[in-house]
Amino acid sequence: MKIEVLEKNETNLRVIVKEADVPLMNALRRIALAEVPSMAIDEVVMVENSSILQDEIVAHRLGLTPLKTDLETYNLPEDCECQSEFGCPQCRVTLTLDAESKEGTRTVYSAELVSENPDVVPVSDKVPLIKLAKGQKLKLEAYARLGKGKKHAKWQPVAVCAYKYFPKIEVPTKKCEDCQKCADICPKKVFTVKDEKIDVRDLLACNLCMDCVEACTIEPKPIKVEWEKNVFIMNIESTGVLPPERILREATKILDKQLKDFEEQLKVE
Ligand SMILES: [Zn+2]
């Protein structure tokens, strides 16, 4: 298998994967979505809530606030030695919030959450948690734990994790009558027209919708859109909890472990 990086930054990773197949790509995609652990607030103890939002809604909003994840220091609660419902310093991080509006209405942002571990803090300081009117107060203690997306979407480390076939496009080599049609209809603006001739401007943008082929009125069609059977473009957008390449690496580790477990089971049977 060969991997070529197209784009890589803090939250986005776009790679071309060659010599792979659909089952493998789909396994990695599903594991990235549902099995790679990340940190999220799981339990909230309300000390005071005189806002207009019910405790449950505040807790729900806190749960969906992405937190930077530290996979080295923390254990999944089910794997932790403590085996305690409350958790221990190895499987739980405490965050507190003490907010009050003294004058007028104000918005409380995620920046006001105070974490006991400076490495486990909200990914963004600008997540609005609640609005408080004059005199209203919100005071709480929240416990964040590692968890998996298959249990609750708040533990999903990715916003987008998708793959598509690598497109293969053949364009007519000479001028043709309705030349513009296929270029105009393409929703992804894959084509450009140069001297009344069609040219591929952005091959990777193609999502194989085939609108261009259908729009062409000439028979046999001079434009051909196909895909490479064993080449894929994978796109991972992290919510910020972990770098996208780390999510992919963790997914491969989990797949490897699952296969090893399967092999062990086979031996026993
Ligand atoms: Zn523990």
Side-chain angles (χ1 to χ4, degrees), residues 41 44 53-66 107-108 110 113 126-131 154:
I41 290 175
V44 177
L53 283 190
Q54 293 93 329
D55 294 356
E56 290 85 348
I57 297 175
V58 177
H60 184 246
R61 293 192 63 80
L62 287 166
L64 290 174
T65 306
T107 308
V108 179
S110 50
L113 279 167
K126 298 188 185 80
V127 181
L129 297 175
I130 195 169
K131 266 189 172 177
K154 67 184 174 184

Side-chain angles (χ1 to χ4, degrees), residues 1-5 15-20 230-232:
M1 205 191 307
K2 283 184 196 115
I3 291 182
E4 190 185 311
V5 178
V15 290
I16 299 178
V17 187
K18 290 176 187 163
E19 291 163 42
N230 297 316
V231 186
F232 301 88

